[in-house]
Amino acid sequence: MVSVADRLNDVKEYYFSKKLREVALLKSKGKPIISLGIGSPDLAPDDRVSEALSNAVDKRTIHGYQSYQGLPELRGAMATFYKTNFDVVLDSNTEVLPLMGSKEGIMHVSMAFLNAGDQVLIPNPGYPTYSSVTRLVGADPVFYDLVEKNNWLPNFEELEKLDLSKVKIMWVNYPHMPTGVKSNDEMFRSLISFAKKHSILLVNDNPYSFVLNDHPVSILGYDGAKEVALELNSMSKSFNMAGWRVGMFVGAKKYLDEILKVKSNMDSGMFYGIQQGAIEALSLSKEWFQNINKHYYRRRKIVYQILDSMDCVYDRSHVGMFVWAKLPIGITSEQMTDKMLYDKNVFITPGTVFGSNGEGYIRLSLCVSEEHLEQVLVRVKAK
């Protein structure tokens, strides 16, 4: 076999890619596994979104390559969405870049701005792809601690003690995954000041703003943010379009122009019909989010009962499509998840997937029907 690239030496297969194969194998052997592991919405997009895709497919002239920057109408819809929901004004021609999923954007921005030996500030706990992509491009992750006693927010006193001379990018993610903590004005203003002081590019990954959250916020809504910050957003979570792969980068032209240089060499544009569906979704009223959240509210109540039965502790003020919970003393995250999988036929996520500060915690997804959650509750109570 040809030897693999050195860049893979420090990169492992994504946890859920590996674990879901194990779950599938257990299911194939007749195990009635219920998965509360991943955040892939099980609800459907609005009917008008699917109709827009279907109507587009009927056109004979839409099957060729599309623009690397997306349709002007899509960029316009994204800019309007940001003005309506975040009160952020964007130039749709220069400050909006549609993506084929926001996960790809993590790679695009890393390739655009990082050289080998550069450093990246990454939250612990946080989305594992931030660190894996950093390593893939030859840069070095520097993990900054998020801990419960500080409400899972950055500690700027500790950050200032670090050698920041090689840091070029800082990843932030609020509402936070996996904990569900919301942002606040003081935190975002402090982040912007910190980034300006140390010439760091902030990237706020913001896909969970509308899930069980009455006050969505964008980092770009704060003074001076466009000088030092970009925001990633996605239609996967808020619009039940995870498989459609539609995301966006928003921010200053000077940054997006560099990202486009990478993107235009990695794809050949997004299918026209998907763009039309996305345009329709972005035009939905706030009633759409209210209706979706009714499902998540009901589901979360059952998840709280499940966690109570497991003697776990959680914070009811947290938002998003997961519930983050602290385990009782005496059992590790992976011990609990293995116990649930092999004894209860329930797959949940150990907090350690998201970093060392996730030890002692678990994460449960709300992307599961009430019927299945009730079944999990019965299994957990049958001790």
Side-chain angles (χ1 to χ4, degrees), residues 166-275:
K166 295 183 179 179
V167 173
K168 292 184 73 175
I169 290 176
M170 179 178 184
W171 285 100
V172 293
N173 164 222
Y174 290 94
H176 184 247
M177 197 292 296
T179 69
V181 166
K182 294 186 287 187
S183 60
N184 60 57
D185 293 344
E186 180 183 359
M187 184 204 70
F188 271 146
R189 291 187 180 114
S190 296
L191 279 169
I192 292 164
S193 296
F194 177 78
K196 286 183 178 180
K197 178 180 178 181
H198 298 286
S199 299
I200 294 170
L201 175 61
L202 282 175
V203 188
N204 185 45
D205 191 10
N206 192 18
Y208 297 101
S209 279
F210 298 93
V211 182
L212 296 175
N213 183 20
D214 295 330
H215 301 288
V217 175
S218 166
I219 195 172
L220 297 182
Y222 294 84
D223 289 343
K226 284 187 181 180
E227 298 172 34
V228 292
L230 291 170
E231 187 157 276
L232 264 178
N233 218 320
S234 169
M235 303 191 67
S236 295
K237 315 298 184 180
S238 299
F239 294 99
N240 301 335
M241 296 170 65
W244 291 57
R245 309 312 302 136
V246 184
M248 67 197 83
F249 250 129
V250 291
K253 178 180 185 295
K254 62 182 179 181
Y255 297 122
L256 297 191
D257 283 351
E258 302 306 319
I259 294 170
L260 181 59
K261 292 177 184 178
V262 175
K263 182 183 185 300
S264 61
N265 282 287
M266 294 183 69
D267 68 60
S268 296
M270 190 187 308
F271 178 55
Y272 179 91
I274 288 177
Q275 294 190 67

Side-chain angles (χ1 to χ4, degrees), residues 13 118 226 293 309 313 370 381:
E13 182 182 5
D118 288 338
K226 284 187 181 180
N293 281 330
S309 297
V313 178
E370 291 174 58
K381 284 184 173 181

Side-chain angles (χ1 to χ4, degrees), residues 301-361:
K301 287 181 180 179
I302 304 172
V303 168
Y304 287 163
Q305 295 178 60
I306 292 168
L307 291 169
D308 288 340
S309 297
M310 297 169 65
D311 298 320
C312 294
V313 178
Y314 49 88
D315 190 328
R316 290 176 179 263
S317 71
H318 293 180
V319 301
M321 58 175 49
F322 307 102
V323 179
W324 180 253
K326 189 172 186 176
L327 293 168
I329 295 174
I331 187 168
T332 69
S333 298
E334 294 196 11
Q335 285 171 344
M336 176 59 83
T337 54
D338 284 347
K339 177 182 177 181
M340 289 289 288
L341 181 58
Y342 302 123
D343 295 349
K344 305 293 183 180
N345 291 314
V346 176
F347 172 46
I348 60 176
T349 306
T352 47
V353 169
F354 308 104
S356 59
N357 287 340
E359 180 56 81
Y361 297 85

Side-chain angles (χ1 to χ4, degrees), residues 35-228:
S35 176
L36 279 63
I38 63 172
S40 179
D42 60 315
L43 301 169
D46 188 271
D47 288 343
R48 287 166 288 186
V49 175
S50 300
E51 288 171 6
L53 170 62
S54 179
N55 292 337
V57 171
D58 289 338
K59 299 178 181 179
R60 289 180 171 270
T61 58
I62 55 91
H63 300 289
Y65 293 124
Q66 299 296 315
S67 167
Y68 299 108
Q69 295 173 279
L71 294 170
E73 296 88 348
L74 176 59
R75 297 197 305 273
M78 290 173 170
T80 299
F81 178 81
Y82 257 75
K83 181 66 178 76
T84 300
N85 293 282
F86 298 117
D87 197 26
V88 170
V89 176
L90 298 169
D91 184 328
S92 63
N93 291 317
T94 60
E95 296 181 323
V96 180
L97 181 61
L99 303 169
M100 295 170 72
S102 63
K103 189 173 185 179
E104 289 81 351
I106 298 172
M107 176 63 81
H108 294 337
V109 71
S110 299
M111 293 186 71
F113 292 102
L114 297 175
N115 294 312
D118 288 338
Q119 294 182 340
V120 180
L121 288 172
I122 295 171
N124 174 15
Y127 186 34
T129 299
Y130 304 147
S131 56
S132 60
V133 166
T134 296
R135 292 186 175 103
L136 280 170
V137 300
D140 299 318
V142 176
F143 296 98
Y144 64 94
D145 287 327
L146 303 179
V147 294
E148 186 175 13
K149 67 179 180 181
N150 199 43
N151 198 28
W152 307 104
L153 298 173
N155 183 324
F156 290 96
E157 289 185 10
E158 293 300 316
L159 284 169
E160 289 289 357
K161 294 176 182 178
L162 299 174
D163 178 0
L164 302 169
S165 60
K166 295 183 179 179
V167 173
K168 292 184 73 175
I169 290 176
M170 179 178 184
W171 285 100
V172 293
N173 164 222
Y174 290 94
H176 184 247
M177 197 292 296
T179 69
V181 166
K182 294 186 287 187
S183 60
N184 60 57
D185 293 344
E186 180 183 359
M187 184 204 70
F188 271 146
R189 291 187 180 114
S190 296
L191 279 169
I192 292 164
S193 296
F194 177 78
K196 286 183 178 180
K197 178 180 178 181
H198 298 286
S199 299
I200 294 170
L201 175 61
L202 282 175
V203 188
N204 185 45
D205 191 10
N206 192 18
Y208 297 101
S209 279
F210 298 93
V211 182
L212 296 175
N213 183 20
D214 295 330
H215 301 288
V217 175
S218 166
I219 195 172
L220 297 182
Y222 294 84
D223 289 343
K226 284 187 181 180
E227 298 172 34
V228 292

